[in-house]
Amino acid sequence: MTTRVAAIDCGTNSIRLLVADLPGESAGPQAPLVDLTRRMEIVRLGQGVDRTGRLAPEAIERTRVALASYAADIEKLGAERVRMCATSASRDAANAADFTEMVQRTLGVAPEVVTGDEEARLSFTGAVRGLPADAKAPFLVVDIGGGSTEFVVGDRAAGVRAAISVDIGCVRMTERHLPGDPPTPGQVTAAQADVAAAVDRALAVVPGREAATLVGLAGSVTTVVALAQGLREYDPERIHHARVSYEAVAQVTADLLSQTREQRLANPVMHPGRADVIGAGALVLRVIMERAGMPSVVASEHDILDGIAWSLAT
């Protein structure tokens, strides 16, 4: 028998909902989730956290509005189990209790402020379970979020071998280094140096250079892949499991970092809430590929959100 579950991933930049049916045990270990709805809203919960150490009241309110809508969908679809994971922004904030109280009041369950390691493992589960059978292991899975990036190495049989979370998300890097519109060469150089140092620290813990396949997760990666493919609209089916070369990623990154926000917004695949931070997200991806020696990246539309849903199977 299937089990209907609701998963919510609340990150630094966006909040996402998945309501899905989990397959029964008789369906086998590779049976997929059956999606009922996937939603995403850019709420920028982590607005200013890197500078102030606190969640802004207006950011908490934007998140509340989105969460109330999600709660209505969950009730309408009759999910039996609900899990909400809150990531980097709410880990860092001094006033995290205000956020927790809002979620409990709006959703009826408390958010789980997962550790970086748990975040990484959920991302790995969501990404790897659906990879094509011919994708070569071991896998280096990178989840580029708003406040942090998770690095995980593992394979299908043994699962996660090593994982680490580092504070180089697209929102954090934009606020810290890239205020220009477009950013100046000096700003880009400073951001690149910061990202490279963090990536090297991560790869000293996680053996990403030994991986055979790089899998990239979250909106920065999927947007870069959509741009590299020249899509005229955002098409998850064409992006999911698409493989893009390092050279294509480097070109997209250079283009984004040379454009104004208005120029980036003019691209039909660009979500309006991502236009001001996508340059930093692309830069993080490019530097990871450089430092790990990866000639290409496989994009996945399945990520921590799917991992949260799968975690409700037990």
Side-chain angles (χ1 to χ4, degrees):
M1 294 180 63
T2 61
T3 303
R4 184 158 296 180
V5 301
I8 298 173
D9 169 39
C10 185
T12 303
N13 196 44
S14 64
I15 184 169
R16 300 180 300 148
L17 168 70
L18 168 63
V19 180
D21 286 336
L22 298 176
E25 291 184 8
S26 62
Q30 293 303 315
L33 295 169
V34 178
D35 292 10
L36 298 172
T37 188
R38 284 182 188 258
R39 294 182 57 188
M40 187 273 286
E41 300 288 342
I42 301 286
V43 295
R44 197 63 57 84
L45 179 64
Q47 171 193 333
V49 163
D50 193 51
R51 176 177 52 83
T52 68
R54 299 181 65 83
L55 297 171
E58 62 270 28
I60 294 177
E61 175 59 16
R62 288 193 299 267
T63 306
R64 185 199 65 78
V65 171
L67 194 59
S69 178
Y70 289 0
D73 277 1
I74 291 168
E75 182 176 6
K76 178 181 177 181
L77 292 169
E80 302 168 45
R81 302 172 188 170
V82 180
R83 184 181 185 191
M84 175 175 171
C85 292
T87 55
S88 179
S90 52
R91 281 203 305 266
D92 298 343
N95 61 335
D98 295 342
F99 170 75
T100 299
E101 189 276 332
M102 179 278 290
V103 172
Q104 182 74 54
R105 185 177 68 250
T106 306
L107 186 63
V109 300
E112 297 179 46
V113 184
V114 297
T115 66
D117 282 350
E118 174 67 3
E119 188 176 349
R121 292 170 193 277
L122 289 168
S123 295
F124 185 83
T125 298
V128 169
R129 183 147 186 155
L131 280 177
D134 60 355
K136 294 182 180 179
F139 308 110
L140 169 59
V141 176
V142 294
D143 187 343
I144 302 173
S148 63
T149 294
E150 283 64 58
F151 294 70
V152 199
V153 169
D155 56 42
R156 290 187 180 92
V160 172
R161 288 170 47 192
I164 191 172
S165 178
V166 292
D167 289 341
I168 51 169
C170 60
V171 174
R172 193 185 299 272
M173 290 297 99
T174 300
E175 292 183 349
R176 186 179 294 176
H177 294 296
L178 303 175
D181 187 25
T184 67
Q187 290 169 354
V188 173
T189 298
Q192 181 172 303
D194 196 359
V195 171
V199 171
D200 286 347
R201 289 196 302 272
L203 293 176
V205 175
V206 173
R209 295 184 178 95
E210 300 174 12
T213 303
L214 173 65
V215 183
L217 314 182
S220 288
V221 174
T222 58
T223 301
V224 167
V225 168
L227 292 168
Q229 291 180 307
L231 300 184
R232 300 308 302 164
E233 62 181 3
Y234 192 93
D235 185 344
E237 292 188 4
R238 291 187 62 184
I239 294 166
H240 189 47
H241 294 162
R243 184 182 291 272
V244 173
S245 70
Y246 167 79
E247 291 77 14
V249 170
Q251 184 61 60
V252 169
T253 302
D255 291 344
L256 290 169
L257 290 171
S258 68
Q259 293 171 348
T260 65
R261 181 177 183 276
E262 287 304 313
Q263 288 172 323
R264 294 189 292 270
L265 270 174
N267 195 295
V269 304
M270 189 68 62
H271 190 288
R274 201 174 298 284
D276 57 337
V277 297
I278 186 60
L283 181 65
V284 171
L285 175 60
R286 195 204 77 197
V287 172
I288 290 171
M289 296 179 76
E290 288 172 358
R291 310 303 280 193
M294 289 292 175
S296 63
V297 59
V298 176
S300 178
E301 290 277 352
H302 294 176
D303 51 27
I304 188 173
L305 192 61
D306 301 74
I308 294 168
W310 284 114
S311 75
L312 291 168
T314 56

